Amino acid sequence: MARSHRKKMLKLRKTHRVLSGLFVCFLILIMIFLSMSSAFVFITYVFETKCRAEEEKITYLVKDYNVVRDDSDAASILEDYENDYMILDRNGNIISLSGSDTCLRNDKEHIAFTSTFFSYAISSNHYTMYPDTENLLIDTSEEECPVLVDFNYINDGKKVDIQSGEDIRIPYWLEIPVREGEQTLLIRCELTVKFMELMFFIVFMGVISLILIIIIAAFVINYIRESIDKTRLKKLVFMDPISNDHNWMYFLIEGEARLKKARPSVKYAVVSLVFVKYRNFVLCHSIEEGEEKLSDVFRLLDGETDDQEIASHTGSSNFALLLKYEDKDSLEKRLWDIIEKLGKTDDHHHFNFHAGVVLLEDAASGKKFKLSNVDLDREYNNACNARIAGEDNDDSSVYFFDEKLVEDQKWIDSVHESQEKAVENEEFKVYYQPKYDPRTDELRGAEALIRWISPEFGFVPPGKFIPIFEQNGFITEIDHYMLRHVAKDQKKWLDEGYECVPVSVNISRAHFIENDLADQIRKIVEDEGCPTSLIEIELTESAFFDDKKAMLNTISKLQSFGFAVSMDDFGSGYSSLNSLKDLPLDVLKLDSGFFRDISTDGRGEIVVSEAIRLAKNLNMKIVAEGVEVKEQVDFLASEGCDMIQGYYYAKPMPGEEYLDKMVRNGIPEREEPTPEEKGADENEQNSPEAE
């Protein structure tokens, strides 16, 4: 989407200018066409009307001349016309001449005109026209191509000043074949252009020219104004309001433009840089001081980049960089140097930054991408994914994007695509881990744990998909799925006559934004026909630090419906005692890390003992999870722990195996867990969401 938006912006900018230029050219062509058409119409009118009238007179003269055969009579006919004339024989020799021979005839027909009003190349409909040399200044040094130097309008032997208002008389010669081609008559005529006709033409052409100038001037002014507005708009579009400089859109558009122009020998990297604990800084100071600090960070980053690199503030406390580099090590050193300088931008604080880096090269081969094809938006997103790897650490960090991150992202996408189908096909299986009384070794309960057995991916441990479900919100569907299947199993075993024990089902903290959570849980269990006393709702300690009022209301309603409610991982947080004070829980589960090393110095034994005593005084049952060795079992039994869950007794198992445990209501001969099983048990207990 972002890439499409950038392309539209670039296309709009280019198209607008091209269309503007084409429009100007179109207007100019239209006006030139109108001007030439007007001139052509005027000249055509002059020649067609005035020359045709003269030709009609001469036509009658020629008829009379052809009829008369006597030369003296013919001469009198021509003299009556009162125009200069010449009679030529078939060879072009002058037989008779009246006046001066000022006709520029065929032997000099190729003339270059430089400033004339009309050309002799314009021919009448009947006769051939020749210019008169009386008002022509001819350069005859070139015999083959004489050159017309100037053209003067002559009235009665005087040069005419057009501004004086006089009519213009232009002499010319007409060539007419007579006496069946035996002779040629050349007769001198005059073309008279009235002053008012000429002025009309000049005014008309002036108006056309003025309109053209006004239109072009208006368009040029508008174009300049639009260009100024575009420049201002571009500045606003590309300007970040905090740094008053480059923003995210500038980084994308200008960055890709520079990559396309980059020399093949230059290598580039995309960097996502984030100001760690920026919100804490704003909380302790003010929004204004925070924005000022972001502006300081940008100025330093901008100062650390050259003309071929880019630094942009992309929003909140995030910055995007496009940097050149020689090799990975030198780039990493440069980034650490920049981060060190950024950390010292305040005399009273030291700031930390997380950087994620993408080298614009093939991670497998180390070869450069074709930079003109780089999707900067995608590469920046990859840099952000690399940076996220250091988010749990408040110290500065630099992480490079690699193939493992790609594979992790592909796995996340695969889980997203498969999750709905996996629920429909019931690929998620319920595993049960029994809980035993450490004094009698009797089965007293169990915890329901999820496993994914996929036809496509095989056996998938919960740690590989539960965190993904928590992030995309699908964990609520999984909670319902697990609750429904556990209730269905419990109902089935009851109907078959087995003596069932309560099974605890984990409910994610994501559910507690729902006001009707208790009603949802009751409906699911009752729809399966399972007694609520056989279902224990297990909440993680972290869920107790959200909305305590809503939590208390939900717990009270669940207990009123007959459910037991337990807190998982007690001791892994920092406010456990306060939670016990406020919430009426039925069961308390001690975190495995609480007593794993209780025999080291005796301090752990005191803490566990007091925690058990506290829970007992609050009328809670105690469950210890993650127990793997007999010494831990003996100690917990001596302290009055109600139930133990862990690999010492049993690992998580499918429903069929758990049913066998229920039938025997005791533990089989124990086997020491393998190192892999120990590790699996530890991960299970340390990742309550994965349960």
Side-chain angles (χ1 to χ4, degrees), residues 614-670:
L614 175 63
K616 291 289 185 180
N617 289 335
L618 293 173
N619 297 318
M620 297 180 189
K621 291 183 179 180
I622 298 295
V623 177
E625 58 182 351
V627 177
E628 296 179 350
V629 297
K630 188 175 186 307
E631 290 78 11
Q632 295 172 346
V633 175
D634 293 340
F635 170 75
L636 292 168
S638 66
E639 294 297 324
C641 181
D642 296 294
M643 286 175 279
I644 287 180
Q645 174 186 345
Y647 270 58
Y648 176 78
Y649 281 111
K651 60 186 179 181
M653 60 192 68
E656 297 80 8
E657 292 184 31
Y658 172 68
L659 180 59
D660 181 63
K661 297 281 188 183
M662 262 200 315
V663 170
R664 292 178 3 200
N665 197 19
I667 60 173
E669 182 179 352
R670 298 186 181 89

Side-chain angles (χ1 to χ4, degrees), residues 269-287:
V270 177
V271 181
S272 169
L273 189 73
V274 67
F275 190 151
V276 178
K277 299 292 184 182
Y278 169 72
R279 294 189 183 278
N280 289 356
F281 179 83
V282 171
L283 183 64
C284 296
H285 296 80
S286 66
I287 294 176

